[in-house]
Amino acid sequence: MSYLNPSTGSGSRTSRMTFEFGRTYVVRPKGKHQATIVWLHGLGDNGSSWSQLLESLPLPNIKWICPTAPTRPVAILGGFPCTAWFDVGELSDDGPDDFEGLDASVAHIANLLSTEPADVKLGIGGFSMGAATALYSATCFAQGKYGNGNTYPVNLRAIIGLSGWLPGSRNVRNKIEGSLEAARRASSLPILLCHGSCDEVVPYKYGERSTLVLNSAGFRNLAFKKYDGLGHYTVPREMDEVCHWLNARLVLEGCR
């Protein structure tokens, strides 16, 4: 599936950029369909690997949608092309953020969720770069618009980020505080962030700092879980936390 970035900037180089998304994998609910969550893989991965893990979770009433990111040159890999939700260079507090790529991916995710039944609760989760994209989606939901100004169309009920960070963190607080409606949306959106203390790819400090930034911007319904000794991967106890948290926040029937 391709996505043409709907940038409205006059004469913008990025207004014609097209992103080709890969295959989407779907895990159907085994029980009553009560929630749909789009789950986003990390850099260089695809939707298939996570769909297999998610299918094994004791959450029979969740439908999981696992898309595959576009293949694009990635700065942190010296321009080598691989699957990535957006371009990223070295992680730093003052580094540039690829808002064009982020907006394209977040719009693709919203399109996947927009066809779900009206009575189904919607969420976004992910690992590493996928977690970063999920958190950016949270800020778009709160503001009611993408970074390019187009309307964000989906009512989110849950955000999960494992081993990730918040892109565009420098400006989030100002954007949320400037609108009463944005502040209301931010305060009502449940967010779970998990991070390993020994993460060698996305250092723990970025997960911790993202939590502080989101909280200061008005995202009050936020839980941050630190996993001592955990590197840049997930473990059963972390996924157990995800299951318990989703069950509590979405009040799913028949989940243990």
Side-chain angles (χ1 to χ4, degrees), residues 140-218:
C140 291
F141 163 74
Q143 296 173 73
K145 60 184 178 181
Y146 301 104
N148 57 31
N150 290 334
T151 301
Y152 185 80
V154 177
N155 182 25
L156 296 177
R157 299 290 296 275
I159 296 288
I160 300 169
L162 310 183
S163 305
W165 73 98
L166 174 63
S169 60
R170 296 180 298 277
N171 302 316
V172 169
R173 182 173 179 176
N174 289 338
K175 290 179 178 178
I176 301 300
E177 287 183 340
S179 165
L180 290 176
E181 178 60 19
R184 184 194 67 78
R185 286 181 173 223
S187 65
S188 66
L189 179 62
I191 299 176
L192 172 65
L193 299 181
C194 302
H195 217 108
S197 64
C198 297
D199 193 324
E200 71 285 3
V201 177
V202 182
Y204 172 81
K205 66 178 181 179
Y206 288 105
E208 187 176 46
R209 191 170 302 162
S210 296
T211 304
L212 296 174
V213 170
L214 286 166
N215 190 268
S216 69

Side-chain angles (χ1 to χ4, degrees), residues 69 77 161 185 239:
L77 301 178
R185 286 181 173 223
M239 296 312 296

